[in-house]
Amino acid sequence: MSSSSGRAVSVIGLGAMGSALARAFLTAGHRVTVWNRTAAKADPLRAAGARTAPSLVEAIGASDVIVICVLDYPTSAGLLGPREVGAALTGKTIVQLTTGTPADAREAERLAREIGAAYLDGAIMGYPRDIGRPECVILHSGAETIFNAVADLLGALGNNLYVGESVGAAATLDLALLSTYYAAMTGYLHGAALCAAEGVSLEGYLGGLDGILPIVGVSAKDYATRIADRRYAGDQATIDIHAAALRHIVRASRDAGIAPVAEATSAWFEKARAAGHGGAEMAALFEVLKR
Ligand SMILES: NC(=O)c1ccc[n+]([C@@H]2O[C@H](COP(=O)([O-])OP(=O)(O)OC[C@H]3O[C@@H](n4cnc5c(N)ncnc54)[C@H](OP(=O)(O)O)[C@@H]3O)[C@@H](O)[C@H]2O)c1
């Protein structure tokens, strides 16, 4: 696609994710300027058509929209903090795609307001290989007018979803979804270790997984309505029954000599039982966790 039709965008941070973002903007025909602390990481992008800025201030000066994707928010604040960088950012739009907490996002928005920049927070729900695909979800929060002003540009990255004016909303949803992801993947890898220890093939494990994964999705939707209504009675499986299963997982792990990672989860189910939820459906665990 011709670069003359695109918008100007500067990408700050060229790690695995920042490089993928810059590449997707280039692929969509935008005029991309890049900057990274370690300059050599810009070389492949220059070869692909990006302009490499010799300094952060010059990278910011090259575009109205500045996309930042670095290690964390303190790193971002450290880069944007110097007076000359703040001055260069005045009147620009910062799109923050670094992972952080809702409090990080609020502080970043406050700093942006101080220097007179528009601020949009974002969270990427995918790996670098997913960037640029229509199914790659990127969550955004902050002023809707700011989102609308950059939505066409961000379209190069994937499926951008606006999740609210409260600037911490994208980070909150990101961490909630990552909480699900890491619990699931840790459970999966623990299961793989258990299978390996007991001589069960990973092929058989994957076959069984096809059966249980849809139940996760169905249960999540069911629990959302139960939490909303505080309606935990049911006839499928009680917390007592789930707690017993978790004790079996911990015991089998110990028998097999592998890490009993379900121990922490098991402890929360025992707390739910102690709080009187033993006869309730699993959704009642929410009442214990939210405290
Ligand atoms: N990778 C993913 O799948 C993924 C998915 C969703 C969200 N994210 C988020 O995207 C962000 C970047 O992740 P990544 O995978 O690209 O990580 P990465 O490959 O480790 O890149 C980290 C980036 O931060 C920069 N950086 C680190 N410390 C710095 C400092 N003190 N001063 C200036 N720059 C510094 C690095 O610069 P140097 O090159 O100079 O070290 C590099 O550009 C993270 O917040 C991550 O959570 C990543």
Side-chain angles (χ1 to χ4, degrees), residues 16-153:
M17 185 52 88
S19 294
L21 300 173
R23 206 167 278 281
F25 284 129
L26 284 169
T27 301
H30 296 298
R31 285 170 282 130
V32 182
T33 301
V34 294
W35 181 87
N36 192 57
R37 177 182 63 171
T38 306
K41 287 192 188 165
D43 291 347
L45 291 159
R46 185 173 44 236
R51 177 179 170 245
T52 53
S55 71
L56 177 54
V57 167
E58 284 168 85
I60 292 166
S63 314
D64 285 338
V65 181
I66 316 300
V67 172
I68 303 177
C69 188
V70 290
L71 179 65
D72 53 20
Y73 280 67
T75 300
S76 171
L79 289 173
L80 306 186
R83 185 187 298 267
E84 67 277 14
V85 179
L89 281 166
T90 302
K92 310 263 175 176
T93 296
I94 300 169
V95 179
Q96 179 67 266
L97 295 180
T98 299
T99 302
T101 68
D104 286 335
R106 286 189 284 272
E107 175 62 8
E109 186 186 53
R110 191 191 65 73
L111 290 172
R113 198 173 293 135
E114 249 177 40
I115 56 178
Y119 183 85
L120 187 70
D121 204 74
I124 300 165
M125 312 308 307
Y127 286 108
R129 64 176 177 237
D130 303 317
I131 299 298
R133 297 181 183 205
E135 65 273 19
C136 179
V137 169
I138 306 175
L139 308 170
H140 298 276
S141 53
E144 193 165 10
T145 47
I146 300 173
F147 174 74
N148 289 338
V150 292
D152 65 329
L153 173 69

Side-chain angles (χ1 to χ4, degrees), residues 277-291:
H277 298 298
E281 292 286 317
M282 201 201 297
L285 193 64
F286 173 79
E287 296 296 329
V288 178
L289 295 175
K290 76 178 181 184
R291 284 195 285 268

Side-chain angles (χ1 to χ4, degrees), residues 216-226:
V216 174
V218 169
S219 298
K221 286 182 184 127
D222 175 39
Y223 294 176
T225 62
R226 287 178 175 278

Side-chain angles (χ1 to χ4, degrees), residues 164-186:
E165 292 272 335
S166 171
V167 76
T172 302
L173 282 173
D174 183 35
L175 297 183
L177 292 164
L178 285 176
S179 175
T180 299
Y181 181 67
Y182 288 126
M185 295 319 293
T186 305

